[in-house]
Amino acid sequence: MVTIDLLNEFGADTKEGLARCLDDEEFYLDLIPEALDRTRYEEIEKHLNENNLSAAFEAAHALKGVVGNLALTPIYEPVSEMTELLRSGTDMDYKDLITKVMSERDRLADMIG
C-alpha cells in the first residue's frame, strides 16, 4: 500500500508532490500507481531500441511530466536527463539511462507491493 512515509523512504519529495495536488493526500496517493504503469516505460524502451529518437523523446517527455508533478525524484532525475538528451537529438546508447529509469520504477513498485 502506498503511503507518504513509503514515498519519503523511496526518495520522493512528497511535500512538493502534495503541493502540486493542492495538498489532497488521497488524490496524490491515488496517482502514484498510474505513474508506475509499466507500459509508459516500455514504450520509451521500445522507441530507443528502434532508434526512433523523436518518438522516444515524446514518450520520455510525457513520463517526465507525470513523475515530475508527483515529485518522484529517483525516477524523475534520470528520465529528465534522458529527455533533454533526446530533445537535442543526441545519438548515443541510452541503455544505462533507461535501465536506471526502469530500475527506480521497479523499486518503487516493489516497495508498494
Side-chain angles (χ1 to χ4, degrees), residues 16-112:
E16 180 182 331
L18 279 167
R20 289 176 184 257
C21 292
L22 305 173
D23 290 319
D24 185 337
E25 184 175 321
E26 184 178 344
F27 177 62
Y28 175 66
L29 294 176
D30 284 347
L31 293 174
I32 300 299
E34 183 180 328
L36 300 179
D37 178 2
R38 194 163 184 78
T39 308
R40 295 175 183 268
Y41 300 80
E42 290 171 347
E43 179 183 1
I44 299 168
E45 188 172 43
K46 173 185 170 278
H47 294 310
L48 289 172
N49 288 337
E50 295 169 349
N51 203 34
N52 186 342
L53 300 186
S54 176
F57 165 73
E58 293 297 328
H61 189 260
L63 180 61
K64 176 186 169 189
V66 171
V67 297
N69 282 330
L70 298 174
L72 299 176
T73 310
I75 302 171
Y76 176 79
E77 289 175 349
V79 84
S80 181
E81 180 182 349
M82 181 171 35
T83 300
E84 295 314 309
L85 289 165
L86 288 165
R87 181 189 312 273
S88 67
T90 304
D91 188 13
M92 60 175 268
D93 184 356
Y94 286 89
K95 184 175 171 65
D96 287 346
L97 281 172
I98 191 62
T99 298
K100 177 70 171 167
V101 169
M102 296 287 274
S103 172
E104 290 300 330
R105 178 250 168 241
D106 292 346
R107 184 169 71 91
L108 180 54
D110 288 346
M111 289 174 74
I112 292 170

